[in-house]
Amino acid sequence: MRVKVNGETHELWTLWREGSEVKMIDQRLLPHRFMILTLYSHQETAEAIRDMVVRGAGAIGVAGGYGVAQAALEAQGKNQKTFKAYVSEAADTLRATRPTAVNLFHAIDKCEKAASKGSVPERVAATCAEADRLAQEDLEASKKMGEYGNALIKDGFRVLTHCNAGALAFIDNGSALAPIRVAHRSGKHIFVYADETRPRSQGAKLTAWELQQEGIPYALIVDNAAGHYMRLGEVDFVVVGADRIAANGDTANKIGTYEKAVLAKENGIPFYVAAPRMTFDLKCPNGDGIEIEERSPDEVNWVWGADENGKYSKVRISADGTVAKNPSFDVTPAKYITGFITDVGVLRPPYRRSIREALHTRKGSVG
Ligand code: RI2
């Protein structure tokens, strides 16, 4: 992605690997401060996923793969048995960071598998190669979703999106924001409504920032305003990302997605989910099997931001001792979803069939 920092333009990925170091944009500080963080061990990478330095299903999948590669490099001096035990313990540490986005589990499984054959040096090389391949696959998938999704967006469309499913949620480009980028770059006049997305405010902090960087016309709206604009006929198209999609098309995505989907249906607006095949989980027959992450009540009781001097701080918005609940995701039943924009095309109902076919398009690419 193209990032302007202090007047200078940089072309960057959300995260990347340099030998045993993982580098990532610190998404907790955006848009007020731009910082690249270096993670020196798989434990540090796991902590970065848990603390949402890096977030978004695609990006945490890549981070999980890099974490396993770091573990393999950390264990390269060990014998085969201790190497295996070390990598497997590291994989478990990485798996325990965030439960909902399935990309994380698919990537860790693939890298752990790569670490299981041959001599220790062969295992190390295969693990690193697999982690890098997954990053590349993520990049390619975003490009494809951008192309397939663009075909659905007409000139003049006003598009609503929730949370951040942009370049920062992947290696680059994103899922839901990829079609928007392609449409804008191809000269279509589009306008984006970006939902604020409490409690972490990924819409306000990340999506609005990405759209601004790209020069795409947009307005940030509070989460409660989406229905208002839909009823007024000011939204033509809704597109969101996904953290896990069950075999029947039920989709877990950021909390608040479900109500946007119901409102879209009520108002006759197409509602699309953009996600690569890595986000589909055939082991979940429907949305009931998807674990929903419950995060700290602090995220509800407090907000983070910068004051007029740019000083970054945390402010309490509820009374001391307030009891809060904080489910991070919800499940949108498949019946509200018009289609899935994937890296192999747009999937239509009946989803059990179209999803199964899409996942078998290129054997072995999805866990
Ligand atoms: P991609 C986010 O969760 C949101 O649910 C968002 O839609 C999704 O990840 C984007 O992921 P969080 O990690 O599918 O910010 O676009 O809690 O990668």
Side-chain angles (χ1 to χ4, degrees):
M1 79 195 86
R2 197 160 299 155
V3 179
K4 273 186 233 123
V5 193
N6 302 329
E8 271 182 50
T9 304
H10 305 264
E11 270 299 334
L12 280 177
W13 280 8
T14 296
L15 72 159
W16 64 96
R17 186 176 77 84
E18 288 178 13
S20 61
E21 295 176 3
V22 175
K23 310 247 180 193
M24 54 179 69
I25 298 173
D26 190 339
Q27 301 194 33
R28 297 166 307 180
L29 304 178
L30 285 172
H32 312 295
R33 227 179 278 161
F34 186 86
M35 228 169 86
I36 306 288
L37 216 63
T38 303
L39 293 324
Y40 295 95
S41 64
H42 78 269
Q43 290 93 341
E44 286 185 11
T45 299
E47 196 43 46
I49 299 170
R50 184 175 296 113
D51 203 26
M52 295 177 73
V53 175
V54 63
R55 32 66 49 201
I60 65 172
V62 173
Y66 282 164
V68 180
Q70 282 179 305
L73 289 161
E74 288 156 16
Q76 59 187 326
K78 300 185 190 293
N79 67 34
Q80 230 171 66
K81 201 168 156 220
T82 40
F83 174 89
K84 189 170 182 280
Y86 187 90
V87 171
S88 134
E89 200 184 320
D92 286 344
T93 303
L94 289 154
R95 279 189 194 99
T97 51
R98 296 196 71 194
T100 306
V102 76
N103 307 53
L104 178 70
F105 301 93
H106 284 162
I108 294 171
D109 290 352
K110 281 169 187 292
C111 289
E112 208 185 346
K113 197 168 161 210
S116 69
K117 276 183 224 111
S119 64
V120 169
E122 281 166 355
R123 288 171 190 228
V124 174
T127 312
C128 293
E130 181 62 359
D132 295 343
R133 190 192 66 75
L134 288 169
Q136 203 56 44
E137 186 176 286
D138 180 274
L139 198 63
E140 296 304 321
S142 291
K143 284 191 194 142
K144 290 283 175 206
M145 285 186 279
E147 288 161 22
Y148 291 122
N150 172 42
L152 303 168
I153 297 179
K154 297 201 180 100
D155 191 22
F157 261 18
R158 293 150 303 173
V159 182
L160 182 116
T161 190
H162 191 65
C163 195
N164 174 268
L168 291 162
F170 271 80
I171 286 288
D172 204 351
N173 290 305
S175 55
L177 289 197
I180 293 173
R181 270 178 220 284
V182 177
H184 172 75
R185 287 179 192 165
S186 69
K188 290 179 194 167
H189 300 89
I190 50 165
F191 181 86
V192 180
Y193 286 103
D195 288 345
E196 174 190 27
T197 322
R198 277 277 290 149
R200 298 282 300 209
S201 307
Q202 290 97 324
K205 294 181 173 177
L206 309 176
T207 301
W209 179 77
E210 280 193 36
L211 294 168
Q212 209 174 56
Q213 296 276 332
E214 185 96 15
I216 300 172
Y218 72 94
L220 173 65
I221 57 172
V222 296
D223 296 317
N224 301 334
H228 169 71
Y229 286 113
M230 289 196 211
R231 195 185 68 80
L232 291 179
E234 293 184 23
V235 176
D236 304 296
F237 190 86
V238 182
V239 60
V240 298
D243 295 86
R244 190 185 297 230
I245 302 163
N248 70 341
D250 289 354
T251 296
N253 190 50
K254 183 55 55 197
I255 192 76
T257 302
Y258 171 40
E259 58 188 51
K260 306 298 178 285
V262 175
L263 282 165
K265 186 152 189 132
E266 167 71 16
N267 288 281
I269 302 164
F271 182 94
Y272 283 90
V273 172
R277 286 173 297 161
M278 276 282 265
T279 309
F280 289 82
D281 185 5
L282 291 186
K283 290 194 199 99
C284 279
N286 58 52
D288 296 340
I290 303 177
E291 185 182 341
I292 301 295
E293 177 180 8
E294 186 77 31
R295 293 189 64 86
S296 165
D298 283 358
E299 294 182 348
V300 180
N301 284 321
W302 299 77
V303 286
W304 283 91
D307 66 17
E308 66 269 28
N309 302 314
K311 192 169 172 290
Y312 202 59
S313 59
K314 196 177 164 189
V315 180
R316 175 142 204 148
I317 52 172
S318 57
D320 251 352
T322 298
V323 176
K325 284 172 86 67
N326 188 14
S328 199
F329 302 94
D330 59 24
V331 172
T332 299
K335 65 176 178 183
Y336 294 108
I337 299 168
T338 312
F340 290 96
I341 303 166
T342 76
D343 50 322
V344 288
V346 179
L347 315 187
R348 303 283 180 191
Y351 289 129
R352 266 185 206 289
R353 198 174 69 202
S354 56
I355 290 173
R356 194 162 282 279
E357 279 170 10
L359 295 196
H360 291 104
T361 299
R362 197 158 43 109
K363 265 208 151 99
S365 65
V366 178

